[in-house]
Amino acid sequence: MICQAMHTRELFVDAARKCLSTGRKHLSVPHSLDVAAQLSAVDSALKPALLYDANSASAEQVHRYLRSCQSSQLVSDSLVTLDLHGNTLIVNPVAIRSNLERILHNSGPAMIDISHSLEKPTIIEPVRTGLKSIAQDLLFLLRDLNAAKDVDKVICVAVGSDEWNLSAVFGLLLGYPAVYWFDQTESFENCLAMTPLTVTTASATWFAGASSHQLYSFSIPAVLQNETLSSLVEWKLGLQERFQQQNILKELTVCQSAVTLPSVCL
């Protein structure tokens, strides 16, 4: 069992070194293993998507890495690579589809308006029409992917996406229980500066004795803790349920911390 685990790790590291290098610089072993753990979490539907930010590897490189892992049967063939305005994601279409459909029925994550003109963050009810439109566009894209027998290229999300609020889109795609929204026609700044935030992180170990890997990290303004509590509880219960249905990652931990920052970039 230990030998098999070591072989699996070696395959993941080898794929990262071959596909994700930038210039003469290889992705380090710890970073390679963290990306592999994140990818395994997406494949197991513990998280709907991985936003790749380990280094400056291109979307094409990340896609080659995914295809290499799929060819070695390390992850399933159902995962696909998206390029969203230069941001690369590896997504689980089934898991994302479920999240997006909830938005259309007003049962998705809590929506938090952090527009710069506000004195403090506030809950948006009902869900903004613009966000539903984005969810519908992404669902159409996923249905097209489902109809394709072999997705062997990076999927560029372009049509209509220039006007998307990327902060909200990433929150949706990454499966957060609370999503930030701001009026970008007014300003790309927000009102989170010096606002007490509660940061929730979820981590798990990939192999016995290995270090823990962070699967989720998101913040919610402390002033909205009561209003978002039901969404957070539902998210945590869903994560624990999905965790019990897989056997790749172990020792799930969910913890919270408080931070206050002079500025918050999204």
Side-chain angles (χ1 to χ4, degrees), residues 139-191:
L139 280 170
F140 283 139
L141 175 66
L142 293 174
R143 286 165 187 160
D144 290 341
L145 292 179
N146 190 50
K149 293 183 178 180
D150 184 23
V151 179
D152 197 22
K153 62 180 180 179
V154 177
I155 306 301
C156 293
V157 184
V159 178
S161 63
D162 288 342
E163 299 178 359
W164 287 2
N165 186 304
L166 292 183
S167 172
V169 172
F170 288 141
L172 290 179
L173 294 179
L174 296 175
Y176 294 162
V179 173
Y180 287 141
W181 176 279
F182 56 88
D183 186 353
Q184 58 191 33
T185 63
E186 168 195 293
S187 172
F188 279 87
E189 297 181 8
N190 59 68
C191 63

Side-chain angles (χ1 to χ4, degrees), residues 9-33 35 52 55 61 64-65 68-69:
R9 281 183 287 188
E10 289 172 357
L11 289 174
F12 272 117
V13 171
D14 185 57
R17 289 179 64 86
K18 287 181 178 178
C19 303
L20 298 176
S21 299
T22 54
R24 296 183 178 180
K25 188 174 181 180
H26 293 298
L27 198 65
S28 69
V29 171
H31 273 145
S32 298
L33 293 176
V35 172
Y52 184 85
N55 64 357
Q61 286 179 283
R64 287 199 296 272
Y65 167 74
S68 178
C69 293

Side-chain angles (χ1 to χ4, degrees), residues 200-205 212-216 235-236 239-240 243 250-256:
T200 300
T201 59
S203 304
T205 56
S212 184
H213 298 275
Q214 184 174 282
L215 305 181
Y216 285 90
W235 170 83
K236 185 176 180 180
L239 177 61
Q240 291 171 334
F243 196 83
K250 310 292 183 182
E251 300 175 5
L252 175 67
T253 59
V254 179
C255 60
Q256 292 183 325

Side-chain angles (χ1 to χ4, degrees), residues 1-263:
M1 191 71 173
I2 295 178
C3 290
Q4 182 181 357
M6 291 181 63
H7 180 60
T8 298
R9 281 183 287 188
E10 289 172 357
L11 289 174
F12 272 117
V13 171
D14 185 57
R17 289 179 64 86
K18 287 181 178 178
C19 303
L20 298 176
S21 299
T22 54
R24 296 183 178 180
K25 188 174 181 180
H26 293 298
L27 198 65
S28 69
V29 171
H31 273 145
S32 298
L33 293 176
D34 186 63
V35 172
Q38 301 285 339
L39 183 60
S40 298
V42 174
D43 194 38
S44 302
L46 287 177
K47 53 189 294 182
L50 159 64
L51 177 60
Y52 184 85
D53 58 1
N55 64 357
S56 57
S58 66
E60 288 74 18
Q61 286 179 283
V62 174
H63 184 64
R64 287 199 296 272
Y65 167 74
L66 173 60
R67 294 297 285 174
S68 178
C69 293
Q70 290 171 329
S71 296
S72 299
Q73 298 183 333
L74 298 172
V75 294
S76 69
D77 291 335
S78 62
L79 305 185
V80 297
T81 312
L82 298 184
D83 182 346
L84 179 54
H85 288 281
N87 301 279
T88 306
L89 301 102
I90 296 176
V91 306
N92 182 322
V94 174
I96 285 183
R97 188 180 300 116
S98 176
N99 287 350
L100 295 175
E101 288 174 344
R102 293 175 61 210
I103 286 288
L104 299 181
H105 294 89
N106 292 320
S107 61
M111 294 296 303
I112 302 176
D113 192 337
I114 55 168
S115 296
H116 184 61
S117 60
L118 298 176
E119 289 187 10
K120 62 181 181 179
T122 183
I123 294 292
I124 300 173
E125 291 184 359
V127 174
R128 287 280 169 85
T129 301
L131 194 64
K132 287 189 175 183
S133 178
I134 292 171
Q136 188 66 69
D137 289 343
L138 289 170
L139 280 170
F140 283 139
L141 175 66
L142 293 174
R143 286 165 187 160
D144 290 341
L145 292 179
N146 190 50
K149 293 183 178 180
D150 184 23
V151 179
D152 197 22
K153 62 180 180 179
V154 177
I155 306 301
C156 293
V157 184
V159 178
S161 63
D162 288 342
E163 299 178 359
W164 287 2
N165 186 304
L166 292 183
S167 172
V169 172
F170 288 141
L172 290 179
L173 294 179
L174 296 175
Y176 294 162
V179 173
Y180 287 141
W181 176 279
F182 56 88
D183 186 353
Q184 58 191 33
T185 63
E186 168 195 293
S187 172
F188 279 87
E189 297 181 8
N190 59 68
C191 63
L192 294 179
M194 302 309 297
T195 297
L197 303 173
T198 300
V199 178
T200 300
T201 59
S203 304
T205 56
W206 189 27
F207 290 104
S211 58
S212 184
H213 298 275
Q214 184 174 282
L215 305 181
Y216 285 90
S217 179
F218 55 85
S219 66
I220 295 176
V223 69
L224 298 177
Q225 192 165 356
N226 289 336
E227 289 91 331
T228 58
L229 181 60
S230 61
S231 295
L232 185 60
V233 169
E234 182 181 359
W235 170 83
K236 185 176 180 180
L237 290 174
L239 177 61
Q240 291 171 334
E241 181 179 346
R242 296 192 303 275
F243 196 83
Q244 293 171 355
Q245 294 171 352
Q246 57 84 51
N247 56 9
I248 303 298
L249 288 99
K250 310 292 183 182
E251 300 175 5
L252 175 67
T253 59
V254 179
C255 60
Q256 292 183 325
S257 60
V259 300
T260 302
L261 303 172
S263 63

